[in-house]
Coordinates of all heavy atoms in Angstrom, one line a residue:
M1 N 73.5 108.0 92.8 CA 74.3 108.5 91.8 C 75.0 107.4 91.0 O 75.4 106.4 91.6 CB 75.4 109.4 92.4 CG 75.0 110.6 93.2 SD 75.3 112.0 92.2 CE 74.0 113.1 92.7
N2 N 75.2 107.6 89.8 CA 75.9 106.6 89.0 C 77.3 107.0 88.7 O 77.7 108.1 89.1 CB 75.1 106.2 87.7 CG 74.2 107.3 87.2 OD1 74.2 108.4 87.7 ND2 73.4 106.9 86.3
T3 N 78.0 106.2 88.0 CA 79.4 106.5 87.7 C 79.5 107.6 86.6 O 78.5 108.0 86.1 CB 80.1 105.2 87.1 OG1 79.4 104.8 85.9 CG2 80.0 104.1 88.1
T4 N 80.7 107.9 86.3 CA 80.9 109.1 85.4 C 80.5 108.7 83.9 O 80.3 109.6 83.1 CB 82.3 109.5 85.4 OG1 83.2 108.5 85.1 CG2 82.7 110.1 86.8
N5 N 80.3 107.5 83.6 CA 79.8 107.1 82.3 C 80.6 107.8 81.2 O 80.0 108.3 80.3 CB 78.3 107.3 82.1 CG 77.5 106.4 83.0 OD1 77.9 105.3 83.3 ND2 76.3 106.9 83.4
G6 N 81.9 107.7 81.2 CA 82.7 108.3 80.2 C 83.0 109.7 80.3 O 83.8 110.3 79.5
R7 N 82.4 110.4 81.2 CA 82.7 111.8 81.4 C 84.0 112.0 82.1 O 84.7 111.0 82.5 CB 81.6 112.5 82.3 CG 80.3 112.6 81.6 CD 79.2 113.2 82.5 NE 79.0 112.4 83.6 CZ 78.4 112.8 84.7 NH1 78.0 114.0 84.9 NH2 78.2 111.9 85.7
S8 N 84.4 113.2 82.3 CA 85.7 113.5 83.0 C 85.7 112.9 84.4 O 84.6 112.8 85.0 CB 85.8 115.0 83.1 OG 86.2 115.4 84.4
P9 N 86.8 112.4 84.9 CA 86.8 111.8 86.2 C 86.4 112.8 87.3 O 86.0 112.4 88.4 CB 88.3 111.4 86.4 CG 89.1 112.1 85.4 CD 88.1 112.5 84.3
H10 N 86.4 114.1 87.0 CA 85.9 115.1 88.0 C 84.4 115.3 87.9 O 83.8 115.9 88.8 CB 86.6 116.4 87.8 CG 88.0 116.4 88.0 ND1 88.9 115.8 87.1 CD2 88.8 116.8 89.0 CE1 90.2 115.9 87.6 NE2 90.1 116.5 88.8
G11 N 83.8 114.8 86.8 CA 82.4 115.1 86.5 C 81.4 114.9 87.6 O 80.6 115.7 87.9
E12 N 81.4 113.7 88.2 CA 80.4 113.3 89.1 C 80.5 114.2 90.4 O 79.5 114.8 90.8 CB 80.5 111.9 89.5 CG 79.4 111.5 90.5 CD 79.5 110.0 90.9 OE1 80.3 109.2 90.3 OE2 78.7 109.7 91.8
L13 N 81.7 114.4 90.9 CA 81.9 115.3 92.1 C 81.5 116.7 91.7 O 80.9 117.4 92.6 CB 83.3 115.1 92.6 CG 83.6 113.8 93.3 CD1 85.1 113.7 93.7 CD2 82.7 113.6 94.6
L14 N 81.9 117.2 90.6 CA 81.6 118.6 90.2 C 80.1 118.8 90.1 O 79.7 119.9 90.2 CB 82.3 118.9 88.9 CG 83.8 119.3 89.0 CD1 84.4 119.6 87.6 CD2 83.9 120.6 89.8
G15 N 79.4 117.8 89.8 CA 77.9 117.9 89.7 C 77.2 118.0 91.0 O 76.0 118.3 91.1
L16 N 77.9 117.8 92.1 CA 77.3 117.9 93.5 C 77.3 119.3 93.9 O 78.2 120.1 93.6 CB 78.1 117.1 94.5 CG 78.2 115.6 94.2 CD1 79.1 114.9 95.2 CD2 76.8 114.9 94.2
K17 N 76.3 119.7 94.7 CA 76.2 121.0 95.2 C 77.4 121.3 96.1 O 78.0 120.4 96.7 CB 75.0 121.1 96.1 CG 73.7 121.4 95.4 CD 72.6 121.8 96.4 CE 71.2 122.1 95.9 NZ 70.9 122.0 94.5
N18 N 77.8 122.6 96.1 CA 78.9 123.1 96.9 C 80.3 122.8 96.5 O 81.3 123.2 97.1 CB 78.8 122.6 98.4 CG 77.4 122.8 98.9 OD1 76.8 123.9 98.8 ND2 76.8 121.8 99.5
L19 N 80.5 121.9 95.5 CA 81.9 121.4 95.1 C 82.3 122.0 93.8 O 81.7 121.8 92.8 CB 81.9 119.9 95.1 CG 81.5 119.1 96.3 CD1 81.7 117.7 96.1 CD2 82.3 119.6 97.5
G20 N 83.4 122.7 93.9 CA 84.1 123.3 92.7 C 85.3 122.5 92.4 O 85.7 121.5 93.1
M21 N 86.1 122.9 91.4 CA 87.3 122.2 91.0 C 88.3 122.1 92.1 O 88.9 121.0 92.3 CB 87.9 122.8 89.8 CG 89.1 122.0 89.2 SD 88.6 120.3 88.7 CE 87.9 120.6 87.1
A22 N 88.5 123.1 92.9 CA 89.5 123.1 94.0 C 89.1 122.0 95.0 O 89.9 121.2 95.5 CB 89.6 124.4 94.6
S23 N 87.8 122.0 95.4 CA 87.3 121.0 96.3 C 87.4 119.6 95.8 O 87.8 118.7 96.5 CB 85.8 121.3 96.7 OG 85.7 122.6 97.2
V24 N 87.1 119.4 94.5 CA 87.2 118.1 93.9 C 88.7 117.6 93.9 O 89.0 116.5 94.2 CB 86.6 118.1 92.5 CG1 86.9 116.8 91.7 CG2 85.1 118.3 92.6
N25 N 89.6 118.5 93.6 CA 91.0 118.2 93.6 C 91.5 117.7 95.0 O 92.2 116.8 95.2 CB 91.9 119.3 93.1 CG 91.8 119.5 91.6 OD1 91.4 118.5 90.9 ND2 92.0 120.7 91.1
I26 N 91.0 118.5 96.0 CA 91.3 118.1 97.4 C 90.7 116.7 97.7 O 91.4 115.9 98.3 CB 90.8 119.2 98.4 CG1 91.6 120.5 98.2 CG2 90.8 118.7 99.8 CD1 91.0 121.7 99.0
L27 N 89.5 116.5 97.3 CA 88.9 115.2 97.6 C 89.6 114.1 96.9 O 89.8 113.0 97.5 CB 87.4 115.2 97.1 CG 86.5 116.0 98.0 CD1 85.1 116.2 97.4 CD2 86.4 115.4 99.4
H28 N 90.1 114.3 95.7 CA 90.9 113.3 95.0 C 92.1 113.0 95.7 O 92.6 111.8 95.8 CB 91.2 113.7 93.5 CG 90.0 113.5 92.6 ND1 90.1 113.7 91.3 CD2 88.7 113.2 92.8 CE1 88.9 113.5 90.7 NE2 88.1 113.2 91.6
A29 N 92.7 114.0 96.3 CA 94.0 113.8 97.1 C 93.8 112.9 98.3 O 94.8 112.3 98.8 CB 94.5 115.2 97.5
I30 N 92.6 112.8 98.8 CA 92.3 111.9 100.0 C 91.6 110.6 99.6 O 91.1 109.9 100.4 CB 91.5 112.6 101.1 CG1 90.2 113.1 100.6 CG2 92.3 113.8 101.6 CD1 89.2 113.4 101.8
G31 N 91.5 110.4 98.3 CA 91.0 109.1 97.8 C 89.5 109.1 97.5 O 88.9 108.1 97.4
V32 N 88.9 110.3 97.5 CA 87.4 110.4 97.2 C 87.3 110.7 95.7 O 87.7 111.8 95.3 CB 86.7 111.4 98.1 CG1 85.3 111.6 97.7 CG2 86.8 111.0 99.5
N33 N 86.8 109.8 94.9 CA 86.7 110.0 93.5 C 85.2 110.1 93.0 O 85.1 110.4 91.8 CB 87.4 108.9 92.8 CG 88.9 108.9 93.1 OD1 89.6 109.9 92.9 ND2 89.4 107.8 93.7
N34 N 84.3 109.8 93.8 CA 82.9 109.9 93.4 C 82.0 110.0 94.6 O 82.4 110.0 95.7 CB 82.5 108.7 92.5 CG 82.8 107.4 93.2 OD1 82.5 107.2 94.4 ND2 83.5 106.5 92.5
Y35 N 80.7 110.2 94.3 CA 79.7 110.3 95.4 C 79.7 109.1 96.3 O 79.7 109.3 97.6 CB 78.3 110.5 94.8 CG 77.2 110.6 95.9 CD1 76.9 111.8 96.4 CD2 76.5 109.5 96.3 CE1 75.9 111.9 97.4 CE2 75.6 109.6 97.3 CZ 75.3 110.8 97.9 OH 74.3 110.9 98.8
E36 N 79.9 107.9 95.8 CA 79.9 106.8 96.6 C 81.0 106.8 97.6 O 80.9 106.5 98.8 CB 79.9 105.5 95.8 CG 79.8 104.2 96.6 CD 79.9 103.0 95.8 OE1 79.8 103.1 94.5 OE2 80.0 101.9 96.4
D37 N 82.2 107.2 97.2 CA 83.4 107.3 98.1 C 83.1 108.3 99.2 O 83.4 108.0 100.3 CB 84.6 107.8 97.3 CG 85.2 106.8 96.3 OD1 84.8 105.6 96.4 OD2 85.9 107.2 95.4
L38 N 82.5 109.5 98.8 CA 82.2 110.5 99.8 C 81.2 110.0 100.8 O 81.3 110.2 102.0 CB 81.8 111.8 99.1 CG 81.5 113.0 100.0 CD1 82.7 113.3 100.9 CD2 81.0 114.2 99.2
S39 N 80.2 109.3 100.3 CA 79.1 108.8 101.1 C 79.6 107.8 102.1 O 79.3 107.8 103.3 CB 78.0 108.2 100.2 OG 77.0 107.7 101.0
K40 N 80.5 106.9 101.7 CA 81.1 105.9 102.6 C 81.9 106.5 103.6 O 81.9 106.1 104.8 CB 81.9 104.8 101.8 CG 81.0 103.9 101.0 CD 81.9 102.9 100.2 CE 81.0 101.9 99.4 NZ 81.8 101.1 98.6
M41 N 82.7 107.5 103.2 CA 83.7 108.1 104.1 C 82.9 109.1 105.1 O 83.3 109.2 106.3 CB 84.7 108.9 103.4 CG 85.8 109.5 104.2 SD 87.1 110.3 103.3 CE 87.8 108.9 102.4
G42 N 81.9 109.8 104.6 CA 81.2 110.8 105.4 C 81.9 112.1 105.4 O 83.2 112.2 105.2
A43 N 81.2 113.1 105.6 CA 81.7 114.5 105.6 C 82.8 114.7 106.7 O 83.8 115.3 106.4 CB 80.6 115.5 105.7
V44 N 82.5 114.2 107.9 CA 83.4 114.5 109.0 C 84.8 113.8 108.7 O 85.8 114.4 108.9 CB 82.8 114.1 110.3 CG1 83.8 114.1 111.5 CG2 81.6 114.9 110.7
D45 N 84.7 112.5 108.3 CA 86.0 111.8 108.1 C 86.7 112.4 106.9 O 88.0 112.5 107.0 CB 85.7 110.3 107.9 CG 87.0 109.5 108.0 OD1 87.9 109.9 108.8 OD2 87.0 108.4 107.4
A46 N 86.0 112.8 105.9 CA 86.7 113.4 104.8 C 87.4 114.7 105.2 O 88.5 115.0 104.9 CB 85.7 113.7 103.6
Y47 N 86.7 115.5 106.0 CA 87.2 116.8 106.5 C 88.5 116.5 107.3 O 89.5 117.2 107.2 CB 86.1 117.5 107.3 CG 86.6 118.8 107.9 CD1 86.7 120.0 107.1 CD2 86.8 118.9 109.3 CE1 87.0 121.2 107.7 CE2 87.2 120.1 109.9 CZ 87.3 121.2 109.1 OH 87.7 122.4 109.7
K48 N 88.4 115.5 108.2 CA 89.5 115.2 109.1 C 90.7 114.7 108.2 O 91.9 115.1 108.5 CB 89.2 114.0 110.0 CG 88.3 114.4 111.1 CD 88.0 113.2 112.1 CE 88.6 111.9 111.6 NZ 88.1 110.8 112.3
R49 N 90.5 114.0 107.2 CA 91.6 113.5 106.3 C 92.2 114.7 105.6 O 93.4 114.7 105.4 CB 91.1 112.5 105.3 CG 90.8 111.1 106.0 CD 90.4 110.1 104.9 NE 89.9 108.9 105.6 CZ 89.9 107.7 105.1 NH1 90.4 107.6 103.8 NH2 89.4 106.7 105.7
I50 N 91.4 115.6 105.1 CA 91.9 116.8 104.5 C 92.8 117.6 105.4 O 93.9 117.9 105.1 CB 90.7 117.7 104.0 CG1 90.0 117.0 102.8 CG2 91.3 119.1 103.6 CD1 88.7 117.6 102.5
K51 N 92.3 117.8 106.6 CA 93.1 118.6 107.6 C 94.4 117.8 108.0 O 95.4 118.4 108.2 CB 92.3 118.8 108.9 CG 91.0 119.6 108.7 CD 91.3 121.1 108.6 CE 91.4 121.7 109.9 NZ 91.5 123.1 109.9
S52 N 94.3 116.5 108.1 CA 95.5 115.7 108.5 C 96.6 115.8 107.4 O 97.8 115.5 107.8 CB 95.1 114.3 108.8 OG 94.9 113.6 107.6
R53 N 96.3 116.1 106.2 CA 97.3 116.2 105.2 C 97.9 117.6 105.1 O 98.6 117.9 104.2 CB 96.6 115.9 103.8 CG 96.2 114.5 103.7 CD 95.9 114.1 102.3 NE 97.0 113.3 101.8 CZ 97.3 113.1 100.6 NH1 96.6 113.7 99.7 NH2 98.3 112.4 100.2
G54 N 97.5 118.5 106.1 CA 98.0 119.8 106.1 C 97.4 120.8 105.2 O 97.9 121.9 104.9
I55 N 96.3 120.4 104.6 CA 95.5 121.3 103.7 C 94.7 122.2 104.5 O 93.9 121.7 105.3 CB 94.7 120.4 102.7 CG1 95.6 119.5 101.9 CG2 93.9 121.4 101.8 CD1 94.8 118.5 101.1
H56 N 94.8 123.5 104.4 CA 94.1 124.4 105.2 C 92.8 124.7 104.6 O 92.7 125.3 103.5 CB 94.9 125.7 105.3 CG 96.2 125.5 106.0 ND1 96.3 125.2 107.4 CD2 97.5 125.4 105.5 CE1 97.6 125.0 107.7 NE2 98.3 125.1 106.6
V57 N 91.7 124.3 105.2 CA 90.4 124.5 104.8 C 89.6 125.0 106.0 O 89.9 124.7 107.2 CB 89.7 123.3 104.2 CG1 90.3 122.9 102.9 CG2 89.7 122.1 105.2
S58 N 88.5 125.8 105.8 CA 87.7 126.3 106.9 C 86.6 125.3 107.2 O 86.4 124.3 106.5 CB 87.1 127.6 106.5 OG 86.1 127.5 105.5
K59 N 85.8 125.6 108.2 CA 84.7 124.8 108.5 C 83.6 124.8 107.4 O 82.8 123.8 107.3 CB 84.0 125.2 109.8 CG 84.9 124.9 111.0 CD 84.2 125.4 112.3 CE 85.1 125.1 113.5 NZ 86.3 125.9 113.6
V60 N 83.7 125.8 106.5 CA 82.8 125.8 105.4 C 83.0 124.5 104.5 O 82.0 124.0 103.9 CB 82.9 127.1 104.6 CG1 82.2 127.0 103.3 CG2 82.5 128.3 105.4
M61 N 84.2 124.1 104.4 CA 84.5 122.8 103.7 C 83.7 121.7 104.3 O 83.1 120.8 103.6 CB 86.0 122.5 103.6 CG 86.3 121.3 102.8 SD 85.9 121.4 101.1 CE 87.0 120.3 100.4
L62 N 83.7 121.6 105.6 CA 83.0 120.5 106.3 C 81.5 120.7 105.9 O 80.8 119.7 105.6 CB 83.2 120.7 107.8 CG 82.4 119.7 108.7 CD1 82.7 118.3 108.4 CD2 82.7 120.1 110.2
Y63 N 81.0 121.9 106.0 CA 79.5 122.1 105.7 C 79.3 121.8 104.2 O 78.2 121.2 103.9 CB 79.1 123.5 106.0 CG 79.4 124.0 107.4 CD1 79.7 125.4 107.6 CD2 79.5 123.2 108.5 CE1 79.9 125.9 108.8 CE2 79.7 123.7 109.7 CZ 80.0 125.0 109.9 OH 80.2 125.5 111.2
A64 N 80.2 122.2 103.4 CA 80.0 121.9 101.9 C 79.9 120.4 101.6 O 79.1 120.0 100.8 CB 81.1 122.6 101.1
L65 N 80.8 119.7 102.3 CA 80.8 118.2 102.1 C 79.5 117.6 102.5 O 78.9 116.8 101.8 CB 82.0 117.6 102.8 CG 83.4 117.9 102.3 CD1 84.4 117.4 103.3 CD2 83.6 117.4 100.9
Q66 N 79.0 118.0 103.7 CA 77.7 117.5 104.2 C 76.6 117.9 103.3 O 75.7 117.1 102.9 CB 77.5 118.0 105.6 CG 76.2 117.4 106.2 CD 76.3 115.9 106.4 OE1 77.3 115.3 106.8 NE2 75.2 115.2 106.1
G67 N 76.6 119.1 102.8 CA 75.6 119.6 101.9 C 75.6 118.9 100.6 O 74.6 118.6 100.0
A68 N 76.8 118.5 100.1 CA 76.9 117.8 98.9 C 76.3 116.4 99.0 O 75.6 115.9 98.1 CB 78.4 117.6 98.5
L69 N 76.5 115.8 100.2 CA 75.8 114.5 100.4 C 74.3 114.6 100.5 O 73.6 113.6 100.1 CB 76.4 113.9 101.7 CG 77.8 113.4 101.7 CD1 78.3 113.1 103.1 CD2 78.0 112.2 100.7
M70 N 73.8 115.7 101.0 CA 72.4 115.9 101.2 C 71.7 116.6 100.0 O 70.5 116.8 100.0 CB 72.2 116.7 102.5 CG 72.6 116.0 103.7 SD 72.6 117.1 105.2 CE 70.8 117.4 105.3
D71 N 72.5 117.1 99.0 CA 72.0 117.8 97.9 C 71.4 119.1 98.4 O 70.3 119.5 98.0 CB 71.1 117.0 97.0 CG 70.8 117.7 95.7 OD1 71.7 118.4 95.2 OD2 69.7 117.5 95.1
V72 N 72.1 119.8 99.3 CA 71.6 121.1 99.9 C 72.8 122.1 99.9 O 73.9 121.7 100.2 CB 71.2 120.8 101.4 CG1 70.9 122.1 102.1 CG2 70.0 119.9 101.4
H73 N 72.5 123.3 99.6 CA 73.6 124.3 99.7 C 74.0 124.4 101.2 O 73.2 124.3 102.1 CB 73.0 125.7 99.3 CG 74.1 126.7 99.2 ND1 74.6 127.4 100.3 CD2 74.9 127.2 98.2 CE1 75.5 128.2 99.9 NE2 75.7 128.1 98.6
W74 N 75.3 124.5 101.4 CA 75.9 124.4 102.7 C 75.3 125.4 103.7 O 75.2 125.2 104.9 CB 77.4 124.5 102.7 CG 78.0 125.9 102.3 CD1 78.3 126.3 101.1 CD2 78.2 127.0 103.2 NE1 78.8 127.6 101.1 CE2 78.7 128.0 102.4 CE3 78.0 127.2 104.5 CZ2 79.0 129.3 102.9 CZ3 78.3 128.4 105.0 CH2 78.8 129.5 104.2
N75 N 75.0 126.6 103.1 CA 74.4 127.7 104.0 C 73.0 127.4 104.5 O 72.5 128.0 105.4 CB 74.5 129.0 103.2 CG 74.6 130.2 104.2 OD1 75.2 130.1 105.2 ND2 74.0 131.3 103.8
D76 N 72.4 126.4 103.8 CA 71.0 126.0 104.2 C 71.0 124.9 105.3 O 69.9 124.5 105.7 CB 70.2 125.6 103.0 CG 69.9 126.8 102.1 OD1 69.9 127.9 102.6 OD2 69.8 126.5 100.9
L77 N 72.1 124.4 105.7 CA 72.2 123.4 106.7 C 71.7 124.0 108.0 O 72.1 125.2 108.3 CB 73.6 122.8 106.9 CG 74.2 122.0 105.7 CD1 75.6 121.6 106.1 CD2 73.4 120.8 105.4
S78 N 71.0 123.3 108.9 CA 70.6 123.9 110.1 C 71.7 124.2 111.0 O 72.8 123.5 111.0 CB 69.6 122.9 110.8 OG 70.3 121.9 111.4
P79 N 71.6 125.2 111.9 CA 72.6 125.6 112.8 C 73.0 124.4 113.7 O 74.1 124.2 114.1 CB 72.1 126.7 113.6 CG 71.1 127.4 112.7 CD 70.5 126.2 111.9
D80 N 72.0 123.6 114.1 CA 72.2 122.4 114.9 C 73.1 121.4 114.2 O 74.0 120.8 114.8 CB 70.9 121.8 115.4 CG 70.1 122.6 116.4 OD1 70.8 123.4 117.1 OD2 68.9 122.3 116.6
L81 N 72.8 121.2 112.9 CA 73.6 120.2 112.2 C 75.0 120.7 112.0 O 76.0 120.0 112.2 CB 73.0 119.9 110.8 CG 73.8 119.0 109.9 CD1 74.1 117.6 110.6 CD2 73.0 118.8 108.6
K82 N 75.2 122.0 111.8 CA 76.5 122.6 111.6 C 77.3 122.4 113.0 O 78.5 122.0 112.9 CB 76.5 124.1 111.3 CG 76.0 124.3 109.8 CD 76.0 125.8 109.6 CE 75.5 126.1 108.2 NZ 75.4 127.5 107.9
K83 N 76.6 122.7 114.1 CA 77.3 122.5 115.4 C 77.7 121.1 115.6 O 78.8 120.8 116.1 CB 76.3 123.0 116.5 CG 76.9 122.9 117.8 CD 75.9 123.3 118.9 CE 76.5 123.2 120.3 NZ 75.5 123.3 121.3
Q84 N 76.8 120.1 115.3 CA 77.1 118.7 115.4 C 78.3 118.3 114.6 O 79.2 117.6 115.1 CB 75.9 117.9 115.1 CG 76.1 116.4 115.1 CD 74.9 115.6 114.6 OE1 73.8 116.1 114.4 NE2 75.2 114.3 114.3
L85 N 78.3 118.7 113.4 CA 79.5 118.4 112.5 C 80.8 118.9 113.0 O 81.8 118.2 113.1 CB 79.2 119.0 111.1 CG 78.1 118.4 110.2 CD1 77.8 119.3 109.1 CD2 78.5 117.0 109.8
V86 N 80.8 120.2 113.5 CA 82.0 120.7 114.1 C 82.4 120.0 115.3 O 83.6 119.6 115.5 CB 81.8 122.2 114.4 CG1 83.0 122.8 115.2 CG2 81.7 123.0 113.1
E87 N 81.5 119.6 116.2 CA 81.8 118.9 117.4 C 82.4 117.5 117.1 O 83.4 117.1 117.7 CB 80.5 118.7 118.3 CG 80.1 120.0 119.0 CD 78.8 119.9 119.7 OE1 78.1 118.9 119.6 OE2 78.4 120.9 120.4
E88 N 81.8 116.8 116.1 CA 82.3 115.5 115.7 C 83.8 115.7 115.1 O 84.7 114.9 115.4 CB 81.4 114.9 114.6 CG 80.1 114.3 115.2 CD 79.3 113.7 114.1 OE1 79.9 113.1 113.2 OE2 78.1 113.8 114.2
A89 N 84.0 116.7 114.3 CA 85.3 116.9 113.7 C 86.3 117.2 114.7 O 87.4 116.7 114.7 CB 85.2 118.0 112.6
E90 N 85.9 118.1 115.7 CA 86.9 118.5 116.7 C 87.2 117.3 117.7 O 88.3 117.2 118.2 CB 86.4 119.7 117.4 CG 86.5 120.9 116.5 CD 85.9 122.2 117.2 OE1 85.3 122.1 118.2 OE2 86.1 123.3 116.5
S91 N 86.2 116.5 118.0 CA 86.4 115.5 119.0 C 87.2 114.3 118.4 O 87.7 113.5 119.2 CB 85.0 114.9 119.4 OG 84.4 114.2 118.4
T92 N 87.4 114.3 117.1 CA 88.1 113.2 116.5 C 89.3 113.6 115.8 O 90.0 112.8 115.2 CB 87.2 112.3 115.6 OG1 86.7 113.2 114.6 CG2 86.1 111.7 116.3
E93 N 89.7 114.9 115.9 CA 90.8 115.5 115.1 C 92.1 114.8 115.5 O 93.0 114.6 114.6 CB 90.9 117.0 115.3 CG 90.2 117.8 114.3 CD 90.4 119.3 114.4 OE1 91.2 119.7 115.2 OE2 89.7 120.0 113.6
S94 N 92.3 114.4 116.7 CA 93.6 113.9 117.1 C 93.7 112.4 116.8 O 94.7 111.8 117.0 CB 93.7 114.1 118.6 OG 92.7 113.4 119.3
A95 N 92.6 111.8 116.2 CA 92.6 110.4 115.9 C 93.6 110.1 114.7 O 93.9 110.9 114.0 CB 91.2 109.9 115.5

């Protein structure tokens, strides 16, 4: 993915699968401003940071973030991957 190239600062993230304006605003609040930021942080760490700020999101947000990284609709992630993501998020929530 390239930079926004003069588009709105939300443009690149909004172009990813699963992410709408509310999700993008939440990502900006945790310092994720583009695909590269999300890729470096990873879905699990981004989800943990969102939760640690007291923002109430469901596990679907975790799946949506992973799907955005993989260019896949969150509902098409395998059950095994979803389970792995939840286990990682829960095992590190207290960090």
Side-chain angles (χ1 to χ4, degrees):
M1 296 256 153
N2 22 11
T3 62
T4 57
N5 293 332
R7 292 180 296 165
S8 134
H10 295 77
E12 183 179 351
L13 288 173
L14 277 175
L16 298 177
K17 276 193 181 7
N18 311 311
L19 301 184
M21 187 57 81
S23 300
V24 168
N25 287 336
I26 290 170
L27 288 171
H28 283 188
I30 63 162
V32 173
N33 297 303
N34 53 47
Y35 177 87
E36 184 178 350
D37 291 344
L38 181 57
S39 180
K40 285 180 182 175
M41 186 177 294
V44 171
D45 196 28
Y47 178 77
K48 287 181 358 189
R49 288 183 190 205
I50 291 165
K51 298 282 279 185
S52 74
R53 294 192 104 202
I55 300 170
H56 299 287
V57 291
S58 71
K59 290 179 178 72
V60 171
M61 180 64 155
L62 175 60
Y63 307 151
L65 294 171
Q66 184 64 42
L69 290 170
M70 297 171 64
D71 195 29
V72 172
H73 188 277
W74 68 266
N75 207 30
D76 293 333
L77 297 176
S78 74
D80 287 342
L81 177 55
K82 289 179 181 177
K83 180 181 177 194
Q84 176 188 343
L85 290 167
V86 170
E87 287 173 356
E88 286 180 37
E90 289 176 350
S91 72
T92 57
E93 268 184 6
S94 60

